[in-house]
Amino acid sequence: MQEYLIDVIQKGLKAVGIETSTPVTIEKPARKEFGDFSTNIALVLAGECKTNPRKLAQELISHLSFRPGTVGKTEIAGPGFINFHLTPSFIMQSLEQVIREGESFGRMCSGKGQKAIVEYVSANPTGPLTIGRGRGGVLGDCIANLYEALGYDVTREYYFNDAGRQMKILAESVRLRYLERCGDTVEFPDTHYQGPYIRDIAEKLYEHHGDALKEHETLDEFKQTAEQFIFASIKNTLHRLNIHHDSFFNEHKLYQPGENGKSANDEVIEALKEKGFISEYDGAVWFSTTKLGQEKDKVLIKSSGEPSYRLPDIAYHVTKFERGFSDIVNVFGADHIDEYPDVVEAVRILGYEAENIKVAINQFVTTTVNGETVKMSTRKGNADLLDDLIDDVGADATRLFFIMRSKDSHLNFDVELAKKQSRDNPVFYLQYAHARICSLLKMAERETDFIASSAETGLLQNLESPHELQLSLALQELPEVIQTAARLLEPQKMVDYLHTIAELFHRFYQECPILKSDEELRKARLYLALATRQVLQNGFRILGITAPEAM
RNA sequence: GUGCCCGUAGCUCAAUUGGAUAGAGCAUCAGCCUUCUAAGCUGAGGGUUACUGGUUCGAGUCCAGUCGGGCAUGCCA
């Protein structure tokens, strides 16, 4: 519909004799008096053409030629906007398409044949997932869904490291709790993991081995058990939120020598050295980021000989390019903000298309408990567990809470409010609209033998009230919303949109009797309800929430 | 100190990325169920968009500065 208008305007510009590279943009005016669509092209071009915008608009309008039955009225408004009023029949023709395409409405092919990778969660197995982690998890999952809707072949990846220092502390923590369980008196340092799950793991070890592990020299048994236990817990939590990864990438792989005897890490060092971005001093190997205008170089290999996290990170991203991904999306929290610019610079130096890496950084989650803001730390064990939250409010509300705010704003998770399970909960508003439609359609089947048939959608032409037209027009925006949300890596746009759809539907439902209308109007309204349900379902699928048929 | 994010109604947040009279939810107040699900709808009140200046037809949005909050600034990840 927008494309059609753009096309007509471009032809009009040519007819007026204006050659320009400025793209024509179509907007939806904020107020309905201003029509269904508008363009600011006259305002934009007035400067270029050295003329008055209203005058230019006037001239342009007289050169626009629409197909009959599409645009009812065009007018100039304000400083030089051109507003278009569509005819109801044009709106309904487009709406028929929604019904025809069904669940594939909103699925596009702009990403067809391309591979995208979305990396998210990526928590090391040092403890169960906290509420803070949930935000990135749901954000990443929705972004992956959006890319899928664009037609991409999407891989959902989880990157983790089970070899670092934190894992050693974890193993040591478990060992101490185990010794405690065996009856020893131990001093438990506060640098260690305090959470209750450490005791659970220790208990498990004690059940299996008694006190046979007391004399073990190495931490291996403790580490492995802990990792298994915690990973199972993490995966289970993610599963409850309907989050499933296709691939778990262990950082360890990057240390292992390949066929040529070199590890991925080695190869990065070598390649950077060749480009002149490696320097060695203070017993360490550095990425010469000072050459890129940064204040300090960054350590790649510590004086102990071990790589710092930055090196495998770069090597990891190289694998993403080597694996053929054209779109690389990383989702992580604000605490990793300093990490990715180095990675991007490094892969650029190595000759990859660094601009294909997109980063979605979500701001932190604070939780409000009894009016008090609590900051969370896994190590201190005071973090609220994601699992507990899901127990309290359910997976749908949990997911929606995390993405109903833009990722750039701090999310204040009022745990008390979320636990209330009351109507305050925004997920109900959306789901209720869906349930209402389901119930309506069921009743229509039972009482009027209504059976949806694509041959009948022409009946939509009977709709003409403002409520009906507004809803119909909004339903057609789904593909555009998906594109915007994907481009901005911002599923919140989808939440907002679905809220609008639900609102417009409730209003339509309130004002327009459906089952009590005459047959043609009744059917027309049922098809509108059907199309609404379809759009809600397609949107819910991207957000990963369920579409209940009854509430 | 420096870099990134944020500052919008009493509270939590939007605002089509520079557009027309800044909008939703919660909370408050007033209406709407003998009629398709009232988890809904309608209406009211509530704002110097932190502050100051600048850019232009036009600024919550862009630029500079000030104030306030978060994160980062490790040979931790």
Side-chain angles (χ1 to χ4, degrees):
Chain A
M1 197 174 280
Q2 268 115 316
E3 284 81 32
Y4 172 67
L5 291 173
I6 290 171
D7 186 52
V8 171
I9 293 164
Q10 275 167 345
K11 282 180 182 146
L13 285 172
K14 222 169 265 175
V16 178
I18 295 175
E19 292 290 338
T20 178
S21 56
T22 311
V24 176
T25 56
I26 296 288
E27 294 163 353
K28 278 148 290 177
R31 303 169 61 81
K32 53 179 184 286
E33 305 94 272
F34 296 143
D36 299 310
F37 291 104
S38 73
T39 179
N40 62 353
I41 190 70
L43 288 163
V44 176
L45 291 178
E48 202 174 304
C49 305
K50 297 195 178 9
T51 163
N52 172 314
R54 285 192 67 106
K55 205 171 140 194
L56 177 62
Q58 185 54 255
E59 200 178 341
L60 180 56
I61 279 188
S62 61
H63 286 84
L64 297 180
S65 64
F66 299 103
R67 275 201 313 267
T70 53
V71 176
K73 191 170 70 168
T74 52
E75 59 194 2
I76 302 168
F81 290 99
I82 302 175
N83 297 334
F84 304 97
H85 297 259
L86 304 180
T87 63
S89 79
F90 188 35
I91 294 173
M92 290 311 160
Q93 274 170 36
S94 306
L95 184 59
E96 287 178 46
Q97 186 192 344
V98 177
I99 297 173
R100 220 179 309 128
E101 294 187 10
E103 61 180 37
S104 62
F105 175 65
R107 213 171 278 163
M108 284 153 277
C109 48
S110 54
K112 200 129 202 167
Q114 297 177 76
K115 289 170 65 182
I117 182 168
V118 184
E119 180 207 334
Y120 56 107
V121 185
S122 295
N124 287 337
T126 58
L129 292 179
T130 58
I131 290 180
R133 282 290 183 178
R135 187 175 194 187
V138 177
L139 179 65
D141 195 55
C142 290
I143 289 172
N145 291 343
L146 286 164
Y147 269 82
E148 254 166 15
L150 291 181
Y152 283 87
D153 174 12
V154 178
T155 297
R156 297 142 194 268
E157 190 156 275
Y158 187 126
Y159 176 68
F160 71 102
N161 172 19
D162 58 1
R165 202 181 72 178
Q166 296 305 329
M167 288 301 288
K168 275 184 206 136
I169 296 176
L170 174 73
E172 182 63 23
S173 305
V174 172
R175 194 179 72 93
L176 290 174
R177 290 301 186 207
Y178 170 78
L179 293 177
E180 213 171 57
R181 181 64 185 80
C182 296
D184 293 9
T185 317
V186 299
E187 197 171 317
F188 199 86
D190 52 9
T191 50
H192 282 39
Y193 290 91
Q194 308 287 329
Y197 61 96
I198 301 293
R199 283 206 170 85
D200 296 342
I201 299 166
E203 177 65 33
K204 213 176 165 185
L205 282 166
Y206 185 77
E207 277 171 22
H208 272 78
H209 303 280
D211 54 10
L213 299 177
K214 269 178 80 169
E215 307 306 325
H216 267 221
E217 291 288 315
T218 70
L219 287 169
D220 287 356
E221 187 71 33
F222 298 102
K223 201 193 106 178
Q224 275 168 26
T225 307
E227 181 178 338
Q228 269 176 19
F229 183 92
I230 292 170
F231 243 130
S233 143
I234 288 174
K235 285 181 187 174
N236 181 55
T237 306
L238 292 174
H239 174 79
R240 296 181 68 194
L241 281 178
N242 204 8
I243 295 174
H244 304 277
H245 288 87
D246 305 307
S247 156
F248 286 77
F249 193 106
N250 191 336
E251 180 183 320
H252 188 62
K253 243 170 128 174
L254 303 166
Y255 295 72
Q256 293 168 338
E259 287 170 13
N260 58 3
K262 295 173 199 159
S263 72
N265 285 339
D266 296 340
E267 299 208 25
V268 166
I269 295 285
E270 231 166 75
L272 284 175
K273 194 177 277 178
E274 208 168 291
K275 302 281 183 183
F277 280 91
I278 293 291
S279 35
E280 299 184 33
Y281 51 84
D282 293 348
V285 178
W286 304 76
F287 180 21
S288 313
T289 43
T290 43
K291 289 187 180 168
L292 302 165
Q294 294 193 29
E295 278 185 22
K296 285 163 70 181
D297 289 343
K298 302 290 170 59
V299 175
L300 293 182
I301 299 178
K302 301 184 259 182
S303 50
S304 66
E306 295 174 306
S308 82
Y309 66 92
R310 246 174 260 270
L311 177 55
D313 243 23
I314 295 167
Y316 172 48
H317 280 82
V318 168
T319 74
K320 291 183 180 177
F321 285 100
E322 292 299 327
R323 284 184 280 165
F325 294 111
S326 61
D327 287 64
I328 296 167
V329 182
N330 298 340
V331 179
F332 46 61
D335 54 337
H336 286 238
I337 191 121
D338 257 21
E339 178 178 337
Y340 82 94
D342 295 334
V343 171
V344 170
E345 286 304 333
V347 298
R348 191 195 312 282
I349 289 166
L350 296 179
Y352 298 99
E353 303 282 328
E355 48 282 354
N356 291 350
I357 299 181
K358 293 180 189 150
V359 178
I361 294 175
N362 61 86
Q363 293 300 313
F364 266 23
V365 179
T366 54
T367 56
T368 305
V369 182
N370 301 324
E372 217 171 298
T373 303
V374 185
K375 268 206 278 180
M376 298 179 289
S377 156
T378 302
R379 190 144 1 132
K380 286 182 190 155
N382 68 349
D384 294 297
L385 296 187
L386 192 48
D387 259 333
D388 295 342
L389 182 67
I390 302 169
D391 287 341
D392 286 333
V393 305
D396 286 341
T398 302
R399 282 190 73 116
L400 200 76
F401 259 78
F402 281 133
I403 46 170
M404 66 189 211
R405 305 291 178 226
S406 109
K407 65 183 186 302
D408 286 333
S409 66
H410 297 262
L411 177 67
N412 187 340
F413 210 119
D414 189 332
V415 178
E416 305 301 316
L417 176 75
K419 281 179 182 175
K420 255 199 253 167
Q421 184 93 25
S422 70
R423 74 179 65 182
D424 307 355
N425 206 326
V427 73
F428 289 145
Y429 187 78
L430 302 182
Q431 293 184 325
Y432 180 61
H434 182 267
R436 236 181 179 184
I437 296 171
C438 289
S439 147
L440 174 71
L441 290 171
K442 238 173 262 167
M443 190 167 292
E445 278 173 32
R446 198 169 58 234
E447 294 185 5
T448 71
D449 295 323
F450 175 75
I451 293 170
S453 148
S454 54
E456 271 187 331
T457 53
L459 289 169
L460 283 167
Q461 296 291 343
N462 289 301
L463 301 180
E464 53 188 10
S465 82
H467 292 107
E468 294 160 334
L469 295 177
Q470 241 183 306
L471 174 58
S472 305
L473 207 50
L475 291 175
Q476 297 163 39
E477 289 169 24
L478 179 69
E480 196 192 327
V481 172
I482 291 173
Q483 279 172 334
T484 306
R487 179 167 48 84
L488 300 176
L489 307 176
E490 191 57 277
Q492 185 268 335
K493 302 285 177 194
M494 178 63 67
V495 180
D496 241 33
Y497 169 71
L498 293 176
H499 184 90
T500 306
I501 295 297
E503 186 177 25
L504 290 172
F505 175 77
H506 285 310
R507 207 173 290 164
F508 154 70
Y509 182 89
Q510 191 81 19
E511 299 297 325
C512 304
I514 299 169
L515 296 181
K516 271 161 286 181
S517 303
D518 294 339
E519 184 176 3
E520 292 210 334
L521 186 56
R522 182 180 70 232
K523 282 189 174 174
R525 288 178 172 166
L526 285 169
Y527 281 112
L528 179 55
L530 200 68
T532 306
R533 185 175 68 171
Q534 192 68 62
V535 167
L536 289 174
Q537 280 174 3
N538 296 2
F540 288 178
R541 198 176 45 221
I542 284 169
L543 298 183
I545 61 177
T546 60
E549 297 198 1
M551 288 175 73

